[in-house]
Amino acid sequence: MAAAAMVPIFGQNVSDKYDLVPDWTSREVSTGTTIMAVEYDGGVVIGADSRTTTGAYIANRVTDKLTPIHDRIFCCRSGSAADTQAIADVVTYQLGFHSIELDEPPLVETAANLFKASCYRYREELTAGILVAGWDRRKGGTGTVYCVPIGGMLVRQPVSVGGSGSSYIYGFMDSNYKPGLSKDQCLELTAAALSLAMERDGSSGGVVRLASISEEGVERRVLLGNQLPKFSTH
Amino acid sequence: CLRLFSGIWSQLCKCLFKSLFFLTITFIFRNALLEGEANKVGCSLPAARKTGTTICGVVFKDGIVLGADTRATEGMIVADKNCSKIHYISPNIYCCGAGTAADTEMTTQIISSNLELHALSTGRLPRVATANRMLKQMLFRYQGYIGAALVLGGVDCNGPHLYSIYPHGSTDKLPYVTMGSGSLAAMAVFEDRYKPDMEEEDAKRLVRDAIAAGIFNDLGSGSNIDLCVITKGKVDYIRPHDEANKKGVRTGDYKYKRGTTGVLTKAVTPLALEVVEETVQTMDTS
């Protein structure tokens, strides 16, 4: 979501009027963002931009919003940077512990439910929109994508986008996604969608980070500015 | 043993979020009440002393260079012309602090203390990632009410590491970072001249120039430039590295010689001071 201030309006007794410190130093760090996850037969492709903003200043122009939760499970973070980092750390611990207890790799659905549990319970205090994606052995070994938006809903989707930049690419997604795409087609689709969103959304930008998760493992890729697919003619 | 361990750990995780809820409520009510009471009497609450500040850090070939200015402001007034913003965390880890001076001071001291106990417990030199975890988890717990924006840097068994930590608890691991009101000026210098794997002298010069940019272009930063160079096994705390703003030397002497003013009369009154009470408390050294 766009850089929303989570700080309550009253009760802050640190004076703002005569401060030499400009406003953006006290704004919360938001991941602005465009994130995306697509299922294909045998795995998932996930992608994100790399911009973190505090107000109008870009705090980190090379952020990695694709966070590993387990060996074959990743999450894409959008919303407040602090909230999503904290939630991801908690879920990473919980899932790791659960996996050791089970003595086998955890299911993506389990990871998604752990995210849902934290996001829903503390929904009033948190601003976190998360996509959980990964590969597990269910149904012969497929990729799955779960969407946990702000508020803590949990829904399984074959393709999902999130973040402030997602609003600009729903049309592109609806018209260009077809079930049964191959891994390379998914990677192209993700790269194209993210480039389009980054072009239009001020809170998204930087480089495109892609990852494909399958039984073989995780393949990470970075598309730098000059490697992004081009769409405008001028 | 595993059950007990899991119990404590799950408590810790729940704690992270539970205290969130309680602290938010207590702080909001308490602060609103205080502000209301103060305004009723006609005064405003004192402004917390902020460090204004330009702080930055850079990773070079053999380690980390941290830099900071030395001005602390209270609203529009300079409260301290030569304060120290680079705080000790552990022998191999130092932390620059921007934001509310008290918050940065106390937060770094608390984590330094906890990290020392942790190091004694593990028997190893502490890692920068550990310090980062401790700081981010504490700041997140307080939901941004602790106004501490930190640049954490150090060298451990895995090499040099540099983190920027924001008041709400988010962190970024980067090769060069700047924080504080002068961060834009300093970042402009970094973005122009940073190169990976610099030599120590180049890195020191780069950091010095970045802080200088903050000092001369930002009102909240000023005075001198402090540097801290951390390499494997050695820390160089250079305070001050550069006195960018030296006070002018007075050219005249305004002291008057004895006898300039004529003395007409002199009266001496000895004050009878006597020892009123003397107590001796012996220490039990047995």
Side-chain angles (χ1 to χ4, degrees):
Chain A
M1 288 294 130
M6 259 290 292
V7 181
I9 308 148
F10 67 101
Q12 273 282 64
N13 63 350
V14 179
S15 135
D16 285 321
K17 261 197 289 184
Y18 303 109
D19 260 350
L20 296 164
V21 180
D23 181 47
W24 48 260
T25 54
S26 51
R27 293 286 293 276
E28 188 180 349
V29 176
S30 158
T31 42
T33 303
T34 316
I35 50 175
M36 180 165 160
V38 193
E39 286 176 12
Y40 68 90
D41 185 28
V44 287
V45 164
I46 53 175
D49 73 305
S50 69
R51 184 173 287 185
T52 318
T53 50
T54 35
Y57 179 64
I58 299 173
N60 187 354
R61 58 182 170 86
V62 287
T63 327
D64 186 5
K65 303 181 191 175
L66 308 176
T67 312
I69 300 296
H70 205 263
D71 295 340
R72 301 271 190 286
I73 306 176
F74 269 64
C75 79
C76 311
R77 303 181 288 111
S78 75
S80 155
D83 290 349
T84 51
Q85 282 182 14
I87 298 170
D89 287 343
V90 167
V91 172
T92 307
Y93 161 73
Q94 292 173 330
L95 198 67
F97 192 87
H98 169 75
S99 172
I100 288 174
E101 277 186 312
L102 240 53
D103 197 24
E104 64 178 50
L107 296 175
V108 185
E109 189 173 354
T110 317
N113 276 93
L114 287 171
F115 271 108
K116 188 264 298 278
S118 295
C119 292
Y120 183 70
R121 176 176 271 236
Y122 296 102
R123 54 181 299 166
E124 304 301 328
E125 286 83 33
L126 297 171
T127 315
I130 296 173
L131 295 177
V132 188
W135 180 93
D136 56 34
R137 293 191 49 138
R138 241 205 204 154
K139 300 220 175 97
T142 50
T144 20
V145 170
Y146 288 88
C147 182
V148 183
I150 292 176
M153 166 182 95
L154 173 64
V155 69
R156 153 104 193 254
Q157 289 178 313
V159 61
S160 192
V161 294
S164 59
S166 64
S167 355
Y168 303 102
I169 50 172
Y170 278 111
F172 178 79
M173 292 308 310
D174 288 338
S175 57
N176 288 73
Y177 171 76
K178 285 170 281 295
L181 294 170
S182 74
K183 180 174 98 163
D184 289 319
Q185 286 172 318
C186 285
L187 283 164
E188 269 173 40
L189 180 73
T190 312
L194 289 171
S195 306
L196 287 166
M198 281 154 62
E199 188 74 35
R200 287 292 177 178
D201 180 30
S203 310
S204 306
V207 301
V208 168
R209 291 195 189 274
L210 295 168
S212 71
I213 310 167
S214 63
E215 183 172 8
E216 287 83 52
V218 178
E219 240 182 77
R220 297 204 63 157
R221 209 169 308 184
V222 179
L223 293 180
L224 301 179
N226 58 339
Q227 298 165 318
L228 295 173
K230 290 190 226 324
F231 290 97
S232 46
T233 49
H234 52 274
Chain B
C1 176
L2 191 70
R3 209 172 271 253
L4 193 78
F5 188 70
S6 86
I8 297 167
W9 267 105
S10 69
Q11 290 294 337
L12 244 133
C13 285
K14 287 192 196 123
C15 234
L16 245 146
F17 287 128
K18 221 177 234 179
S19 26
L20 217 155
F21 184 65
F22 290 127
L23 279 167
T24 326
I25 296 295
T26 47
F27 275 133
I28 290 176
F29 286 163
R30 173 184 171 274
N31 290 345
L33 227 78
L34 276 174
E35 196 155 342
E37 290 299 312
N39 289 333
K40 245 188 263 174
V41 198
C43 21
S44 57
L45 290 173
R49 190 211 276 193
K50 303 195 106 184
T51 47
T53 303
T54 311
I55 54 173
C56 67
V58 85
V59 178
F60 72 99
K61 195 170 76 178
D62 306 315
I64 303 275
V65 180
L66 298 173
D69 74 306
T70 59
R71 174 183 287 183
T73 52
E74 232 167 81
M76 273 286 176
I77 299 173
V78 176
D80 191 345
K81 285 182 278 192
N82 197 197
C83 75
S84 163
K85 300 188 189 177
I86 307 183
H87 309 284
Y88 167 89
I89 301 278
S90 82
N92 58 326
I93 304 172
Y94 278 73
C95 185
C96 309
T100 313
D103 288 343
T104 58
E105 190 71 44
M106 295 315 301
T107 305
T108 47
Q109 280 179 4
I110 289 171
I111 262 69
S112 169
S113 163
N114 289 346
L115 205 61
E116 185 172 348
L117 291 169
H118 186 264
L120 287 166
S121 170
T122 58
R124 294 178 168 90
L125 198 66
R127 301 188 189 189
V128 191
T130 316
N132 179 51
R133 266 291 159 118
M134 291 176 163
L135 284 162
K136 72 153 33 170
Q137 285 181 350
M138 177 182 171
L139 290 173
F140 182 75
R141 208 177 339 132
Y142 285 92
Q143 286 291 287
Y145 280 96
I146 294 186
L150 309 166
V151 167
L152 176 76
V155 179
D156 58 27
C157 55
N158 291 334
H161 303 282
L162 186 67
Y163 292 89
S164 67
I165 306 169
Y166 290 83
H168 284 263
S170 61
T171 65
D172 290 307
K173 185 173 195 300
L174 293 163
Y176 55 94
V177 293
T178 64
M179 290 283 232
S181 56
S183 66
L184 258 58
M187 185 52 92
V189 175
F190 274 162
E191 287 285 22
D192 185 30
R193 285 162 43 188
Y194 170 82
K195 278 178 293 292
D197 293 325
M198 283 182 290
E199 292 298 327
E200 180 172 330
E201 283 312 310
D202 290 333
K204 280 163 76 175
R205 204 174 311 130
L206 181 63
V207 171
R208 185 249 156 232
D209 288 343
I211 301 292
I215 286 173
F216 292 120
N217 299 98
D218 172 45
L219 297 178
S221 314
S223 299
N224 312 325
I225 300 168
D226 289 349
L227 280 191
C228 184
V229 184
I230 310 172
T231 47
K232 195 167 182 72
K234 186 166 82 98
V235 172
D236 233 339
Y237 194 106
I238 312 167
R239 177 174 153 80
H241 174 258
D242 199 328
E243 292 196 272
N245 295 280
K246 252 202 268 286
K247 243 186 139 86
V249 182
R250 276 179 215 257
T251 49
D253 184 18
Y254 293 93
K255 264 204 160 74
Y256 293 99
K257 276 205 304 284
R258 246 181 208 284
T260 312
T261 311
V263 180
L264 297 177
T265 49
K266 196 153 83 170
V268 178
T269 322
L271 296 170
L273 297 169
E274 52 171 301
V275 179
V276 176
E277 190 186 290
E278 189 179 358
T279 53
V280 175
Q281 194 162 28
T282 46
M283 219 167 68
D284 184 15
T285 49
S286 55

mmCIF file with all atom_site columns, all heavy atoms in Angstrom, chain B residues 130-148:
data_model
loop_
_atom_site.group_PDB
_atom_site.id
_atom_site.type_symbol
_atom_site.label_atom_id
_atom_site.label_alt_id
_atom_site.label_comp_id
_atom_site.label_asym_id
_atom_site.label_entity_id
_atom_site.label_seq_id
_atom_site.pdbx_PDB_ins_code
_atom_site.Cartn_x
_atom_site.Cartn_y
_atom_site.Cartn_z
_atom_site.occupancy
_atom_site.B_iso_or_equiv
_atom_site.pdbx_formal_charge
_atom_site.auth_seq_id
_atom_site.auth_comp_id
_atom_site.auth_asym_id
_atom_site.auth_atom_id
_atom_site.pdbx_PDB_model_num
ATOM 1   N N   . THR B 1 130 ? 23.605 -10.578 15.162 1.00 0.00 ? 130 THR B N   1
ATOM 2   C CA  . THR B 1 130 ? 22.964 -10.740 16.474 1.00 0.00 ? 130 THR B CA  1
ATOM 3   C C   . THR B 1 130 ? 22.568 -9.385  17.040 1.00 0.00 ? 130 THR B C   1
ATOM 4   O O   . THR B 1 130 ? 21.436 -9.210  17.533 1.00 0.00 ? 130 THR B O   1
ATOM 5   C CB  . THR B 1 130 ? 23.923 -11.429 17.462 1.00 0.00 ? 130 THR B CB  1
ATOM 6   O OG1 . THR B 1 130 ? 24.555 -12.521 16.819 1.00 0.00 ? 130 THR B OG1 1
ATOM 7   C CG2 . THR B 1 130 ? 23.195 -11.911 18.686 1.00 0.00 ? 130 THR B CG2 1
ATOM 8   N N   . ALA B 1 131 ? 23.492 -8.436  16.977 1.00 0.00 ? 131 ALA B N   1
ATOM 9   C CA  . ALA B 1 131 ? 23.195 -7.093  17.470 1.00 0.00 ? 131 ALA B CA  1
ATOM 10  C C   . ALA B 1 131 ? 22.016 -6.502  16.703 1.00 0.00 ? 131 ALA B C   1
ATOM 11  O O   . ALA B 1 131 ? 21.109 -5.890  17.283 1.00 0.00 ? 131 ALA B O   1
ATOM 12  C CB  . ALA B 1 131 ? 24.422 -6.196  17.327 1.00 0.00 ? 131 ALA B CB  1
ATOM 13  N N   . ASN B 1 132 ? 21.999 -6.735  15.370 1.00 0.00 ? 132 ASN B N   1
ATOM 14  C CA  . ASN B 1 132 ? 20.906 -6.255  14.526 1.00 0.00 ? 132 ASN B CA  1
ATOM 15  C C   . ASN B 1 132 ? 19.571 -6.833  14.965 1.00 0.00 ? 132 ASN B C   1
ATOM 16  O O   . ASN B 1 132 ? 18.579 -6.119  15.120 1.00 0.00 ? 132 ASN B O   1
ATOM 17  C CB  . ASN B 1 132 ? 21.198 -6.633  13.071 1.00 0.00 ? 132 ASN B CB  1
ATOM 18  C CG  . ASN B 1 132 ? 20.098 -6.204  12.130 1.00 0.00 ? 132 ASN B CG  1
ATOM 19  O OD1 . ASN B 1 132 ? 19.693 -5.054  12.139 1.00 0.00 ? 132 ASN B OD1 1
ATOM 20  N ND2 . ASN B 1 132 ? 19.584 -7.123  11.351 1.00 0.00 ? 132 ASN B ND2 1
ATOM 21  N N   . ARG B 1 133 ? 19.549 -8.152  15.201 1.00 0.00 ? 133 ARG B N   1
ATOM 22  C CA  . ARG B 1 133 ? 18.310 -8.818  15.640 1.00 0.00 ? 133 ARG B CA  1
ATOM 23  C C   . ARG B 1 133 ? 17.796 -8.234  16.945 1.00 0.00 ? 133 ARG B C   1
ATOM 24  O O   . ARG B 1 133 ? 16.612 -7.929  17.104 1.00 0.00 ? 133 ARG B O   1
ATOM 25  C CB  . ARG B 1 133 ? 18.567 -10.297 15.880 1.00 0.00 ? 133 ARG B CB  1
ATOM 26  C CG  . ARG B 1 133 ? 18.284 -11.237 14.761 1.00 0.00 ? 133 ARG B CG  1
ATOM 27  C CD  . ARG B 1 133 ? 16.839 -11.380 14.463 1.00 0.00 ? 133 ARG B CD  1
ATOM 28  N NE  . ARG B 1 133 ? 16.667 -11.877 13.121 1.00 0.00 ? 133 ARG B NE  1
ATOM 29  C CZ  . ARG B 1 133 ? 16.093 -13.032 12.817 1.00 0.00 ? 133 ARG B CZ  1
ATOM 30  N NH1 . ARG B 1 133 ? 15.634 -13.784 13.776 1.00 0.00 ? 133 ARG B NH1 1
ATOM 31  N NH2 . ARG B 1 133 ? 15.991 -13.394 11.572 1.00 0.00 ? 133 ARG B NH2 1
ATOM 32  N N   . MET B 1 134 ? 18.733 -8.098  17.905 1.00 0.00 ? 134 MET B N   1
ATOM 33  C CA  . MET B 1 134 ? 18.330 -7.589  19.223 1.00 0.00 ? 134 MET B CA  1
ATOM 34  C C   . MET B 1 134 ? 17.755 -6.183  19.109 1.00 0.00 ? 134 MET B C   1
ATOM 35  O O   . MET B 1 134 ? 16.716 -5.866  19.703 1.00 0.00 ? 134 MET B O   1
ATOM 36  C CB  . MET B 1 134 ? 19.540 -7.559  20.168 1.00 0.00 ? 134 MET B CB  1
ATOM 37  C CG  . MET B 1 134 ? 20.040 -8.918  20.563 1.00 0.00 ? 134 MET B CG  1
ATOM 38  S SD  . MET B 1 134 ? 21.499 -8.729  21.566 1.00 0.00 ? 134 MET B SD  1
ATOM 39  C CE  . MET B 1 134 ? 21.596 -10.332 22.317 1.00 0.00 ? 134 MET B CE  1
ATOM 40  N N   . LEU B 1 135 ? 18.420 -5.328  18.317 1.00 0.00 ? 135 LEU B N   1
ATOM 41  C CA  . LEU B 1 135 ? 17.970 -3.952  18.188 1.00 0.00 ? 135 LEU B CA  1
ATOM 42  C C   . LEU B 1 135 ? 16.613 -3.895  17.493 1.00 0.00 ? 135 LEU B C   1
ATOM 43  O O   . LEU B 1 135 ? 15.700 -3.210  17.966 1.00 0.00 ? 135 LEU B O   1
ATOM 44  C CB  . LEU B 1 135 ? 19.001 -3.132  17.399 1.00 0.00 ? 135 LEU B CB  1
ATOM 45  C CG  . LEU B 1 135 ? 20.256 -2.732  18.166 1.00 0.00 ? 135 LEU B CG  1
ATOM 46  C CD1 . LEU B 1 135 ? 21.368 -2.333  17.238 1.00 0.00 ? 135 LEU B CD1 1
ATOM 47  C CD2 . LEU B 1 135 ? 19.955 -1.602  19.147 1.00 0.00 ? 135 LEU B CD2 1
ATOM 48  N N   . LYS B 1 136 ? 16.456 -4.630  16.371 1.00 0.00 ? 136 LYS B N   1
ATOM 49  C CA  . LYS B 1 136 ? 15.198 -4.525  15.630 1.00 0.00 ? 136 LYS B CA  1
ATOM 50  C C   . LYS B 1 136 ? 14.033 -5.080  16.423 1.00 0.00 ? 136 LYS B C   1
ATOM 51  O O   . LYS B 1 136 ? 12.933 -4.545  16.387 1.00 0.00 ? 136 LYS B O   1
ATOM 52  C CB  . LYS B 1 136 ? 15.302 -5.182  14.266 1.00 0.00 ? 136 LYS B CB  1
ATOM 53  C CG  . LYS B 1 136 ? 15.353 -6.677  14.284 1.00 0.00 ? 136 LYS B CG  1
ATOM 54  C CD  . LYS B 1 136 ? 14.842 -7.423  13.075 1.00 0.00 ? 136 LYS B CD  1
ATOM 55  C CE  . LYS B 1 136 ? 15.001 -6.835  11.751 1.00 0.00 ? 136 LYS B CE  1
ATOM 56  N NZ  . LYS B 1 136 ? 14.679 -7.752  10.670 1.00 0.00 ? 136 LYS B NZ  1
ATOM 57  N N   . GLN B 1 137 ? 14.283 -6.150  17.198 1.00 0.00 ? 137 GLN B N   1
ATOM 58  C CA  . GLN B 1 137 ? 13.183 -6.727  17.962 1.00 0.00 ? 137 GLN B CA  1
ATOM 59  C C   . GLN B 1 137 ? 12.750 -5.798  19.094 1.00 0.00 ? 137 GLN B C   1
ATOM 60  O O   . GLN B 1 137 ? 11.568 -5.675  19.414 1.00 0.00 ? 137 GLN B O   1
ATOM 61  C CB  . GLN B 1 137 ? 13.578 -8.101  18.503 1.00 0.00 ? 137 GLN B CB  1
ATOM 62  C CG  . GLN B 1 137 ? 13.553 -9.139  17.406 1.00 0.00 ? 137 GLN B CG  1
ATOM 63  C CD  . GLN B 1 137 ? 13.902 -10.533 17.872 1.00 0.00 ? 137 GLN B CD  1
ATOM 64  O OE1 . GLN B 1 137 ? 14.354 -10.723 18.996 1.00 0.00 ? 137 GLN B OE1 1
ATOM 65  N NE2 . GLN B 1 137 ? 13.693 -11.500 17.013 1.00 0.00 ? 137 GLN B NE2 1
ATOM 66  N N   . MET B 1 138 ? 13.726 -5.090  19.712 1.00 0.00 ? 138 MET B N   1
ATOM 67  C CA  . MET B 1 138 ? 13.371 -4.149  20.772 1.00 0.00 ? 138 MET B CA  1
ATOM 68  C C   . MET B 1 138 ? 12.608 -2.958  20.195 1.00 0.00 ? 138 MET B C   1
ATOM 69  O O   . MET B 1 138 ? 11.576 -2.560  20.732 1.00 0.00 ? 138 MET B O   1
ATOM 70  C CB  . MET B 1 138 ? 14.629 -3.659  21.471 1.00 0.00 ? 138 MET B CB  1
ATOM 71  C CG  . MET B 1 138 ? 14.314 -2.629  22.523 1.00 0.00 ? 138 MET B CG  1
ATOM 72  S SD  . MET B 1 138 ? 15.799 -2.042  23.289 1.00 0.00 ? 138 MET B SD  1
ATOM 73  C CE  . MET B 1 138 ? 15.132 -0.715  24.232 1.00 0.00 ? 138 MET B CE  1
ATOM 74  N N   . LEU B 1 139 ? 13.116 -2.388  19.086 1.00 0.00 ? 139 LEU B N   1
ATOM 75  C CA  . LEU B 1 139 ? 12.467 -1.216  18.513 1.00 0.00 ? 139 LEU B CA  1
ATOM 76  C C   . LEU B 1 139 ? 11.076 -1.548  17.995 1.00 0.00 ? 139 LEU B C   1
ATOM 77  O O   . LEU B 1 139 ? 10.157 -0.742  18.107 1.00 0.00 ? 139 LEU B O   1
ATOM 78  C CB  . LEU B 1 139 ? 13.338 -0.637  17.391 1.00 0.00 ? 139 LEU B CB  1
ATOM 79  C CG  . LEU B 1 139 ? 14.634 0.020   17.855 1.00 0.00 ? 139 LEU B CG  1
ATOM 80  C CD1 . LEU B 1 139 ? 15.497 0.392   16.670 1.00 0.00 ? 139 LEU B CD1 1
ATOM 81  C CD2 . LEU B 1 139 ? 14.356 1.245   18.706 1.00 0.00 ? 139 LEU B CD2 1
ATOM 82  N N   . PHE B 1 140 ? 10.892 -2.740  17.434 1.00 0.00 ? 140 PHE B N   1
ATOM 83  C CA  . PHE B 1 140 ? 9.569  -3.137  16.952 1.00 0.00 ? 140 PHE B CA  1
ATOM 84  C C   . PHE B 1 140 ? 8.588  -3.272  18.109 1.00 0.00 ? 140 PHE B C   1
ATOM 85  O O   . PHE B 1 140 ? 7.430  -2.883  18.010 1.00 0.00 ? 140 PHE B O   1
ATOM 86  C CB  . PHE B 1 140 ? 9.640  -4.446  16.177 1.00 0.00 ? 140 PHE B CB  1
ATOM 87  C CG  . PHE B 1 140 ? 8.315  -4.872  15.620 1.00 0.00 ? 140 PHE B CG  1
ATOM 88  C CD1 . PHE B 1 140 ? 7.792  -4.229  14.505 1.00 0.00 ? 140 PHE B CD1 1
ATOM 89  C CD2 . PHE B 1 140 ? 7.571  -5.890  16.201 1.00 0.00 ? 140 PHE B CD2 1
ATOM 90  C CE1 . PHE B 1 140 ? 6.566  -4.604  13.982 1.00 0.00 ? 140 PHE B CE1 1
ATOM 91  C CE2 . PHE B 1 140 ? 6.355  -6.269  15.686 1.00 0.00 ? 140 PHE B CE2 1
ATOM 92  C CZ  . PHE B 1 140 ? 5.849  -5.620  14.577 1.00 0.00 ? 140 PHE B CZ  1
ATOM 93  N N   . ARG B 1 141 ? 9.094  -3.803  19.233 1.00 0.00 ? 141 ARG B N   1
ATOM 94  C CA  . ARG B 1 141 ? 8.256  -3.970  20.411 1.00 0.00 ? 141 ARG B CA  1
ATOM 95  C C   . ARG B 1 141 ? 7.667  -2.636  20.847 1.00 0.00 ? 141 ARG B C   1
ATOM 96  O O   . ARG B 1 141 ? 6.545  -2.556  21.313 1.00 0.00 ? 141 ARG B O   1
ATOM 97  C CB  . ARG B 1 141 ? 9.081  -4.577  21.537 1.00 0.00 ? 141 ARG B CB  1
ATOM 98  C CG  . ARG B 1 141 ? 8.259  -5.409  22.520 1.00 0.00 ? 141 ARG B CG  1
ATOM 99  C CD  . ARG B 1 141 ? 9.070  -6.073  23.598 1.00 0.00 ? 141 ARG B CD  1
ATOM 100 N NE  . ARG B 1 141 ? 10.466 -6.240  23.326 1.00 0.00 ? 141 ARG B NE  1
ATOM 101 C CZ  . ARG B 1 141 ? 11.461 -5.919  24.154 1.00 0.00 ? 141 ARG B CZ  1
ATOM 102 N NH1 . ARG B 1 141 ? 11.186 -5.399  25.328 1.00 0.00 ? 141 ARG B NH1 1
ATOM 103 N NH2 . ARG B 1 141 ? 12.710 -6.120  23.821 1.00 0.00 ? 141 ARG B NH2 1
ATOM 104 N N   . TYR B 1 142 ? 8.453  -1.553  20.706 1.00 0.00 ? 142 TYR B N   1
ATOM 105 C CA  . TYR B 1 142 ? 7.998  -0.239  21.123 1.00 0.00 ? 142 TYR B CA  1
ATOM 106 C C   . TYR B 1 142 ? 7.349  0.554   19.991 1.00 0.00 ? 142 TYR B C   1
ATOM 107 O O   . TYR B 1 142 ? 7.093  1.744   20.137 1.00 0.00 ? 142 TYR B O   1
ATOM 108 C CB  . TYR B 1 142 ? 9.161  0.560   21.738 1.00 0.00 ? 142 TYR B CB  1
ATOM 109 C CG  . TYR B 1 142 ? 9.505  0.068   23.123 1.00 0.00 ? 142 TYR B CG  1
ATOM 110 C CD1 . TYR B 1 142 ? 10.472 -0.905  23.317 1.00 0.00 ? 142 TYR B CD1 1
ATOM 111 C CD2 . TYR B 1 142 ? 8.823  0.544   24.237 1.00 0.00 ? 142 TYR B CD2 1
ATOM 112 C CE1 . TYR B 1 142 ? 10.765 -1.381  24.583 1.00 0.00 ? 142 TYR B CE1 1
ATOM 113 C CE2 . TYR B 1 142 ? 9.113  0.084   25.509 1.00 0.00 ? 142 TYR B CE2 1
ATOM 114 C CZ  . TYR B 1 142 ? 10.083 -0.886  25.669 1.00 0.00 ? 142 TYR B CZ  1
ATOM 115 O OH  . TYR B 1 142 ? 10.375 -1.358  26.921 1.00 0.00 ? 142 TYR B OH  1
ATOM 116 N N   . GLN B 1 143 ? 7.097  -0.147  18.867 1.00 0.00 ? 143 GLN B N   1
ATOM 117 C CA  . GLN B 1 143 ? 6.261  0.416   17.802 1.00 0.00 ? 143 GLN B CA  1
ATOM 118 C C   . GLN B 1 143 ? 6.658  1.812   17.334 1.00 0.00 ? 143 GLN B C   1
ATOM 119 O O   . GLN B 1 143 ? 5.796  2.610   16.973 1.00 0.00 ? 143 GLN B O   1
ATOM 120 C CB  . GLN B 1 143 ? 4.784  0.457   18.241 1.00 0.00 ? 143 GLN B CB  1
ATOM 121 C CG  . GLN B 1 143 ? 4.141  -0.915  18.231 1.00 0.00 ? 143 GLN B CG  1
ATOM 122 C CD  . GLN B 1 143 ? 3.969  -1.436  16.814 1.00 0.00 ? 143 GLN B CD  1
ATOM 123 O OE1 . GLN B 1 143 ? 3.132  -0.982  16.071 1.00 0.00 ? 143 GLN B OE1 1
ATOM 124 N NE2 . GLN B 1 143 ? 4.787  -2.409  16.429 1.00 0.00 ? 143 GLN B NE2 1
ATOM 125 N N   . GLY B 1 144 ? 7.965  2.137   17.367 1.00 0.00 ? 144 GLY B N   1
ATOM 126 C CA  . GLY B 1 144 ? 8.397  3.425   16.844 1.00 0.00 ? 144 GLY B CA  1
ATOM 127 C C   . GLY B 1 144 ? 8.416  4.536   17.877 1.00 0.00 ? 144 GLY B C   1
ATOM 128 O O   . GLY B 1 144 ? 8.862  5.648   17.582 1.00 0.00 ? 144 GLY B O   1
ATOM 129 N N   . TYR B 1 145 ? 7.936  4.258   19.102 1.00 0.00 ? 145 TYR B N   1
ATOM 130 C CA  . TYR B 1 145 ? 7.951  5.296   20.138 1.00 0.00 ? 145 TYR B CA  1
ATOM 131 C C   . TYR B 1 145 ? 9.359  5.556   20.635 1.00 0.00 ? 145 TYR B C   1
ATOM 132 O O   . TYR B 1 145 ? 9.642  6.644   21.136 1.00 0.00 ? 145 TYR B O   1
ATOM 133 C CB  . TYR B 1 145 ? 7.041  4.894   21.299 1.00 0.00 ? 145 TYR B CB  1
ATOM 134 C CG  . TYR B 1 145 ? 5.600  5.158   20.986 1.00 0.00 ? 145 TYR B CG  1
ATOM 135 C CD1 . TYR B 1 145 ? 4.784  4.149   20.483 1.00 0.00 ? 145 TYR B CD1 1
ATOM 136 C CD2 . TYR B 1 145 ? 5.058  6.424   21.141 1.00 0.00 ? 145 TYR B CD2 1
ATOM 137 C CE1 . TYR B 1 145 ? 3.469  4.397   20.162 1.00 0.00 ? 145 TYR B CE1 1
ATOM 138 C CE2 . TYR B 1 145 ? 3.737  6.676   20.830 1.00 0.00 ? 145 TYR B CE2 1
ATOM 139 C CZ  . TYR B 1 145 ? 2.956  5.657   20.335 1.00 0.00 ? 145 TYR B CZ  1
ATOM 140 O OH  . TYR B 1 145 ? 1.650  5.909   20.018 1.00 0.00 ? 145 TYR B OH  1
ATOM 141 N N   . ILE B 1 146 ? 10.252 4.605   20.502 1.00 0.00 ? 146 ILE B N   1
ATOM 142 C CA  . ILE B 1 146 ? 11.669 4.861   20.777 1.00 0.00 ? 146 ILE B CA  1
ATOM 143 C C   . ILE B 1 146 ? 12.252 5.405   19.478 1.00 0.00 ? 146 ILE B C   1
ATOM 144 O O   . ILE B 1 146 ? 12.421 4.689   18.491 1.00 0.00 ? 146 ILE B O   1
ATOM 145 C CB  . ILE B 1 146 ? 12.401 3.579   21.206 1.00 0.00 ? 146 ILE B CB  1
ATOM 146 C CG1 . ILE B 1 146 ? 11.840 3.102   22.552 1.00 0.00 ? 146 ILE B CG1 1
ATOM 147 C CG2 . ILE B 1 146 ? 13.890 3.812   21.301 1.00 0.00 ? 146 ILE B CG2 1
ATOM 148 C CD1 . ILE B 1 146 ? 12.591 1.921   23.136 1.00 0.00 ? 146 ILE B CD1 1
ATOM 149 N N   . GLY B 1 147 ? 12.541 6.717   19.485 1.00 0.00 ? 147 GLY B N   1
ATOM 150 C CA  . GLY B 1 147 ? 12.998 7.379   18.256 1.00 0.00 ? 147 GLY B CA  1
ATOM 151 C C   . GLY B 1 147 ? 14.472 7.189   18.027 1.00 0.00 ? 147 GLY B C   1
ATOM 152 O O   . GLY B 1 147 ? 15.257 8.139   18.129 1.00 0.00 ? 147 GLY B O   1
ATOM 153 N N   . ALA B 1 148 ? 14.858 5.978   17.700 1.00 0.00 ? 148 ALA B N   1
ATOM 154 C CA  . ALA B 1 148 ? 16.280 5.710   17.477 1.00 0.00 ? 148 ALA B CA  1
ATOM 155 C C   . ALA B 1 148 ? 16.470 5.190   16.055 1.00 0.00 ? 148 ALA B C   1
ATOM 156 O O   . ALA B 1 148 ? 15.958 4.133   15.702 1.00 0.00 ? 148 ALA B O   1
ATOM 157 C CB  . ALA B 1 148 ? 16.792 4.676   18.480 1.00 0.00 ? 148 ALA B CB  1
#
